Amino acid sequence: MTLKELGEFGLIHRIVPRSGSGRGVTLGIGDDAAAVIPTPGLETLITADMLVEGVHFDLTLTTPLELGAKSLAVNLSDIAAMGAVPRFTLLSLAIPPTFSLELLDPFLDGFTSMAQRHGVTLVGGDTCSSRAGFVISVTLMGEQRSDRIIRRSGAIPGDRIYVTGTVGDSALGLTLLRRGERNGGAIIRHLAPLPRNEAGQLLAERGMATAMIDISDGLAADLGHILTQSGRGATLFLDRLPLSQEYRDRVPALADDLFALALSGGEDYELLFTAPADRQEEIRSLSAAVGLPMTDIGEIAAASGLLFLSPDGSPYTPTSRGFDHFS
Ligand code: ADP
Ligand code: MG
């Protein structure tokens, strides 16, 4: 069946059973607006991200299940980067009328399972038809105590710069997909990113991070956002960058610069944060507790400017168009 046959209200009826009844929801899907009760004493954080067919995804490279999960994951990552707890989401879709339910049902399944995994309730959205491609807009609300919310602007000279997980895999995965490969860890990292909400929340609750951002544009650009908003500079040691074995194995044959993809590839959805040097041990044990590497890759400086140091200690000039090496 296509959407044209199902119709807008038929579609909403398919979505309703997936919305469930979450804590704090007094009115879910079905009225003109949803009603929710915020946890007393907490501030609400609101974020939105749009995914456009042909710009952010290609339905010949991703499964609809992965796409549904990713469209919420990228929003969860923004809430993680604030150190907040995700709560309620709105899902707005512009769908080509020829779109089949074989695509839409798994898309909704992917979205719903990601929501359940993170305790998020779908409370509404909007649906319309699209004459171009499939367009997905997700809004996510979270909450946190105001004194625990971690902004981009809090980095202090002497703070260490940490990154979770590994960087560059998603960009490597996209490169491999475009070259016709379909399997492997990097490709999974690109198609099915896992947001770091547990880590982000714990960093906030323990007051460990002074500034935080999630890596969507690329490590160098996103660190740049922290530095600009904190009015500081930094030194980054390239030999400390956490690169996966697959990245180390594959990138040398694809590019003459090992670090370009890791620095500018983007879509890692790892957390990049700064913390005082004396919190090192606590960060180590938090990292062990959540089973997620947190690697010290550099240090915040008082003066502005971002200095990259090569493994041999010489200054490194980033290939700003590193990604172009591959296309
Ligand atoms: P209105 O015309 O007042 O905007 P709609 O018919 O668009 O109302 O929506 C009816 C209900 O269905 C609302 O509760 C809305 O939030 C919900 N809804 C519509 N589209 C979606 C969607 N894609 N995902 C989740 N809920 C949706
Ligand atoms: Mg509407």
Side-chain angles (χ1 to χ4, degrees):
M1 202 193 320
T2 64
L3 257 157
K4 204 168 173 176
E5 294 155 324
L6 183 69
E8 182 187 336
F9 297 104
L11 173 77
I12 294 172
H13 279 297
R14 288 184 100 80
I15 295 177
V16 171
R18 298 168 200 269
S19 63
S21 55
R23 177 176 69 89
V25 181
T26 51
L27 198 50
I29 293 176
D31 216 307
D32 295 309
V36 300
I37 302 175
T39 305
L42 301 189
E43 266 183 42
T44 298
L45 294 105
I46 311 173
T47 185
D49 252 310
M50 199 139 91
L51 297 180
V52 178
E53 184 176 356
V55 178
H56 300 98
F57 63 89
D58 178 339
L59 285 168
T60 65
L61 298 180
T62 183
T63 65
L65 188 82
E66 289 164 336
L67 182 62
K70 184 171 178 174
S71 58
L72 182 57
V74 300
N75 286 275
L76 283 163
S77 184
D78 283 317
I79 291 292
M82 303 304 292
V85 181
R87 295 291 312 272
F88 312 113
T89 187
L90 297 165
L91 173 62
S92 298
L93 303 172
I95 313 175
T98 51
F99 218 66
S100 81
L101 283 180
E102 276 122 71
L103 284 178
L104 199 72
D105 278 339
F107 172 84
L108 293 172
D109 288 341
F111 186 90
T112 313
S113 63
M114 183 61 71
Q116 274 167 358
R117 191 189 306 187
H118 290 272
V120 168
T121 309
L122 177 62
V123 296
D126 196 23
T127 306
C128 65
S129 71
S130 166
R131 293 188 186 195
F134 185 32
V135 178
I136 307 153
S137 170
V138 175
T139 301
L140 181 63
M141 273 158 273
E143 52 188 21
Q144 185 51 279
R145 248 171 53 182
S146 65
D147 59 334
R148 285 175 171 169
I149 294 169
I150 306 172
R151 301 173 186 220
R152 296 178 177 183
S153 56
I156 296 164
D159 278 356
R160 296 297 146 84
I161 302 164
Y162 290 87
V163 65
T164 62
T166 57
V167 285
D169 295 308
S170 173
L172 170 62
L174 179 59
T175 304
L176 298 178
L177 278 168
R178 286 180 173 157
R179 291 165 62 98
E181 294 189 29
R182 289 295 175 266
N183 302 303
I187 286 174
I188 293 172
R189 284 291 306 269
H190 180 73
L191 296 177
L194 295 174
R196 306 307 193 183
N197 291 79
E198 189 187 11
Q201 217 174 294
L202 287 169
L203 284 164
E205 273 156 21
R206 299 181 187 178
M208 280 148 87
T210 48
M212 187 150 65
I213 190 168
D214 68 316
I215 303 182
S216 53
D217 296 341
L219 194 158
D222 289 315
L223 178 57
H225 295 315
I226 287 187
L227 299 180
T228 305
Q229 296 194 26
S230 298
R232 302 298 176 188
T235 304
L236 206 71
F237 303 95
L238 298 187
D239 57 348
R240 297 194 201 166
L241 286 181
L243 305 177
S244 70
Q245 194 55 52
E246 185 180 2
Y247 184 98
R248 291 180 187 278
D249 290 344
R250 299 296 307 269
V251 171
L254 297 166
D256 40 53
D257 179 343
L258 177 68
F259 302 109
L261 261 199
L263 290 174
S264 60
E267 287 211 83
D268 292 307
Y269 300 109
E270 296 292 350
L271 295 175
L272 180 69
F273 64 94
T274 57
D278 64 7
R279 310 292 299 255
Q280 195 179 46
E281 272 313 310
E282 285 169 83
I283 287 168
R284 212 167 280 166
S285 56
L286 176 73
S287 161
V290 298
L292 180 66
M294 295 181 184
T295 310
D296 174 348
I297 57 170
E299 189 172 332
I300 297 293
S304 65
L306 175 52
L307 174 66
F308 297 93
L309 289 182
S310 296
D312 67 5
S314 65
Y316 163 95
T317 310
T319 11
S320 60
R321 298 186 307 133
F323 195 66
D324 284 1
H325 280 290
F326 301 93
S327 46

